Amino acid sequence: MSISLNTPAEKKKRKYFLIPTYFAVICYVLFLGFPFLWMFTTSLKSPIELLQLDQSFIPKGFYWQNYQDIMEKRGLINSAKNSTIIALVTTVITTIFAVPAGYAIARLRKVFSGAATGWILISQVFPVSLVIIPLFMAVRRVGLLDTIWGLILVYLVAALPFALWMLKGYVASIPMDLEEAGAMDGASSFQILRRIVFPLLLPGIVATALFTFLNSWNEFFFALVLIQSPEHETLPLTLARFMGSEGQVLLGPLAAGAFLATIPSLLIFGIMQRKLASGLLAGAVKG
Amino acid sequence: MSTLSTKKASGKGKMYNRGAWKYAIPAFIPLLLLSVVPLSQAIWMAFTDNVAGFNVKVKFIGLENFHRLLGDKLFWASFKIGIIWAVSVTLLALVLGFGLALLLNQKLRFLGLMRVLSLVPWAMPPVIVAIMWNLLLRPTSGPIDGILSFLHVPGAKTDWLGDFNTAFPTVILIGAWVAMPIITVSILAAIQGIPMDMVEAATIDGANAWQRFRFITVPAVRAITTALVALNIIWNFSSFGLVFVLTAGGPGGKTFVPALFAYNEAFKYGNFGYAASMGVVMALAIVLMLGVYLKASKREDTQR
């Protein structure tokens, strides 16, 4: 069933599968897409409409005040600013560190690369609830508790191993022959890296950077532990706090904020699409 | 760990870029400082009586934390919930994701839409996912209950996330919703990597659709599936955000995953050392689960 051929007999056989197949398609589309659409239409409903039982999918009017409410009164703009700064700085620093190192891990002798890869894997096994304790103490010691810089520091710790892992996979897929040819022509090791590896690696670097950005944009746990003041909150923190308090009643603004916070993630995903998954697991299968 | 670790990471043939090692330094130093050091500290802490607060004298107490943890019934209840959660979410997401990948590989209408939709859950921040499902599952105004009562299905007006019996399964379903996209996309990529002439040859030899699925598709996705299951168990066993916002461990501790437990112990009660010992036990459990799983799948590999 998974692989289809276009012989007449096959086509005839496939016709019997069409109805259950399309039924499955509809189920998947509803399961995957409906929750998001419902959140969007909820964000357009007025408080009065949201009080009613058995709501309709389509709102009775467009109540844009929900967006105004969440952005201005609940400090969502400030949180979005924090989230953007944190995610951007984390991404830039992680990429600067991870690109040369990812290359080295993929191309170095077994001993080094084995140790580095081993460490990357081990660090993934440690639960964040364990890692956070020494990090919390370290951030507190340097006086960065409850600041966005403290959070950036912790996000670097979280992002670096996975970025290395992804980049290692991308480097491994670049044929060694090209570098050999470069060396034959007398290119220095830096020239090989800059002129041959870097251009080929660029899509991988972009994917890694976007992935890092997305992860810090979405992150919640570290922010919850390290940030206390509302003015330093990230988007997920503000929204989680809002949901735990007035958001229980103010469903419209809650949905509006949640919708807005998802847009950057969706945009990044639109750009990356399937490349992301293949890159993410490239390290796992290509080795 | 054959699929996860590097089989022949490098050193294939000759090394042409001998100077490469120096590029590792700028990242290995932060990796060492920001990753190796804190993780080692975390493990060390599990053997101390460290508590929150400034200038507290920290004492090495050996295995005392672990001894206390052994008798902590609440923790083991939470630990059990964590295992059930990680395994159920992974398996459910695997089944749903595999099904979706098979559908996406067919020539069907609305494929583009489905492809985009299949990625949406992945892109969303866990907190937003929790908020969104909370809106959907509200017992009075949510559409799920609207649909159920419209269809006269028993179960309408259930407080899905607040009821003792339904809360955990509901949270698992939402967890699988989040985990599906990575699985779908990776399995789809593996299926599309199957050479077409292999399928044609099998068809000419008289293999029917089921046989082609069993003997071509399944082996083709085996390696990636093993990696996906391993990664999902790691990610889910220690996941925090989704459950924290959805139920905060409630009702009555039914969804109290171990990450929540350790978080409370450390940042609510300030018992850093004790919380660290929980983290160490969780890490050991993950390693153990992975070891058993990867060994089993390797054995299966060599048998065929």
Side-chain angles (χ1 to χ4, degrees):
Chain A
M1 240 177 52
S2 67
I3 301 155
S4 35
L5 286 181
N6 284 322
T7 60
E10 286 282 324
K11 268 186 187 161
K12 202 174 166 194
K13 222 185 267 170
R14 230 188 304 152
K15 248 168 69 183
Y16 296 107
F17 285 117
L18 269 183
I19 293 168
T21 304
Y22 274 104
F23 180 72
V25 169
I26 290 167
C27 287
Y28 270 116
V29 167
L30 284 178
F31 183 53
L32 291 164
F34 180 73
F36 189 65
L37 282 179
W38 180 266
M39 184 172 80
F40 177 62
T41 60
T42 303
S43 76
L44 295 172
K45 290 175 183 168
S46 69
I48 299 155
E49 192 183 343
L50 282 165
L51 275 178
Q52 289 161 0
L53 298 176
D54 300 322
Q55 285 169 36
S56 63
F57 176 62
I58 296 157
K60 296 201 171 76
F62 296 112
Y63 191 78
W64 296 105
Q65 263 113 306
N66 287 333
Y67 284 86
Q68 214 178 344
D69 182 296
I70 190 77
M71 283 199 283
E72 283 163 18
K73 281 195 223 148
R74 323 281 163 191
L76 204 79
I77 289 181
N78 185 51
S79 306
K81 199 187 87 197
N82 289 340
S83 275
T84 311
I85 295 172
I86 292 170
L88 272 180
V89 176
T90 305
T91 305
V92 170
I93 300 180
T94 303
T95 312
I96 289 173
F97 281 135
V99 170
Y103 172 75
I105 293 177
R107 291 293 198 241
L108 272 181
R109 280 161 189 271
K110 249 192 184 132
V111 202
F112 298 105
S113 92
T117 316
W119 179 256
I120 291 171
L121 285 173
I122 289 171
S123 66
Q124 296 301 302
V125 169
F126 280 94
V128 283
S129 49
L130 174 62
V131 185
I132 186 62
I133 299 172
L135 290 176
F136 174 84
M137 294 173 72
V139 168
R140 190 180 57 182
R141 204 178 310 126
V142 292
L144 289 177
L145 204 61
D146 196 17
T147 64
I148 60 173
W149 300 106
L151 198 55
I152 288 172
L153 200 67
V154 171
Y155 282 180
L156 283 177
V157 180
L160 205 51
F162 214 81
L164 283 174
W165 176 253
M166 279 180 78
L167 280 165
K168 184 190 80 114
Y170 284 115
V171 173
S173 67
I174 297 173
M176 200 86 113
D177 309 6
L178 293 173
E179 290 176 52
E180 184 192 39
M184 295 290 180
D185 292 344
S188 72
S189 118
F190 180 74
Q191 280 171 326
I192 292 177
L193 194 59
R194 229 209 82 164
R195 298 266 170 83
I196 300 171
V197 178
F198 188 74
L200 290 169
L201 198 58
L202 201 59
I205 296 174
V206 172
T208 310
L210 287 173
F211 189 76
T212 308
F213 184 91
L214 200 64
N215 266 353
S216 24
W217 179 270
N218 291 353
E219 207 282 334
F220 174 65
F221 178 67
F222 292 135
L224 176 74
V225 173
L226 294 172
I227 302 290
Q228 273 118 36
S229 354
E231 67 265 29
H232 297 144
E233 274 177 355
T234 58
L235 274 176
L237 264 188
T238 307
L239 286 169
R241 192 171 46 83
F242 185 62
M243 180 173 143
S245 52
E246 312 119 286
Q248 285 301 323
V249 207
L250 299 169
L251 295 183
L254 180 70
F259 179 73
L260 286 176
T262 317
I263 292 176
S265 315
L266 286 181
L267 282 180
I268 290 181
F269 253 75
I271 304 168
M272 307 181 46
Q273 287 255 16
R274 282 157 61 195
K275 219 173 213 165
L276 187 77
S278 54
L280 197 64
L281 291 162
V285 275
K286 277 174 200 144
Chain B
M1 295 190 112
S2 68
T3 39
L4 276 181
S5 65
T6 51
K7 262 182 237 156
K8 29 182 182 172
S10 64
K12 299 169 208 154
K14 250 178 153 181
M15 177 74 201
Y16 286 98
N17 199 347
R18 282 178 199 286
W21 61 271
K22 54 179 179 264
Y23 303 118
I25 299 171
F28 282 172
I29 290 172
L31 193 66
L32 207 70
L33 279 179
L34 295 173
S35 180
V36 179
V37 171
L39 277 184
S40 320
Q41 276 180 325
I43 297 173
W44 162 251
M45 244 173 235
F47 298 92
T48 67
D49 60 354
N50 204 328
V51 288
F54 284 101
N55 300 322
V56 194
K57 265 235 157 72
V58 180
K59 208 166 69 243
F60 177 78
I61 54 169
L63 289 171
E64 206 174 292
N65 282 329
F66 293 93
H67 190 78
R68 184 175 148 204
L69 196 59
L70 264 180
D72 193 336
K73 284 207 185 85
L74 287 174
F75 174 75
W76 293 108
S78 163
F79 187 85
K80 200 176 124 197
I81 290 172
I83 303 247
I84 299 174
W85 154 261
V87 172
S88 321
V89 167
T90 304
L91 290 183
L92 189 59
L94 188 68
V95 171
L96 291 173
F98 202 167
L100 183 56
L102 290 177
L103 281 180
L104 287 175
N105 192 45
Q106 312 265 321
K107 289 195 182 68
L108 295 172
R109 270 165 236 260
F110 318 118
L111 261 192
L113 173 73
M114 273 229 295
R115 262 192 196 156
V116 174
L117 279 180
S118 68
L119 289 173
V120 168
W122 192 9
M124 294 181 79
V127 170
I128 311 293
V129 172
I131 291 174
M132 190 179 72
W133 282 92
N134 185 286
L135 289 173
L136 281 168
L137 291 165
R138 276 170 183 267
T140 48
S141 60
I144 306 272
D145 280 289
I147 294 163
L148 289 181
S149 35
F150 177 78
L151 296 170
H152 296 288
V153 177
K157 304 289 167 232
T158 307
D159 184 5
W160 294 99
L161 292 167
D163 190 285
F164 267 62
N165 298 315
T166 57
F168 196 31
T170 307
V171 174
I172 287 174
L173 185 73
I174 301 171
W177 188 85
V178 175
M180 245 174 81
I182 285 192
I183 296 178
T184 307
V185 179
S186 315
I187 290 184
L188 182 62
I191 292 178
Q192 288 177 340
I194 299 172
M196 214 44 208
D197 37 347
M198 198 170 170
V199 184
E200 275 163 31
T203 317
I204 290 162
D205 289 347
N208 61 32
W210 164 251
Q211 285 167 327
R212 289 201 304 264
F213 171 74
R214 177 69 189 76
F215 295 107
I216 297 177
T217 311
V218 170
V221 301
R222 180 175 294 275
I224 194 75
T225 307
T226 308
L228 285 168
V229 168
L231 285 171
N232 268 286
I233 284 179
I234 296 177
W235 291 333
N236 286 313
F237 185 63
S238 48
S239 80
F240 178 87
L242 186 67
V243 181
F244 180 82
V245 183
L246 269 175
T247 61
K254 288 278 176 198
T255 60
F256 210 58
V257 291
L260 279 176
F261 200 98
Y263 166 79
N264 276 352
E265 199 61 46
F267 297 103
K268 227 173 172 175
Y269 311 123
N271 298 324
F272 282 174
Y274 191 43
S277 73
M278 291 175 188
V280 170
V281 168
M282 283 166 69
L284 286 176
I286 291 174
V287 171
L288 202 73
M289 278 193 280
L290 287 185
V292 171
Y293 169 70
L294 291 174
K295 210 173 169 190
S297 57
K298 199 175 182 184
R299 199 186 312 127
E300 219 174 298
D301 254 359
T302 46
Q303 267 173 4
R304 54 194 69 241

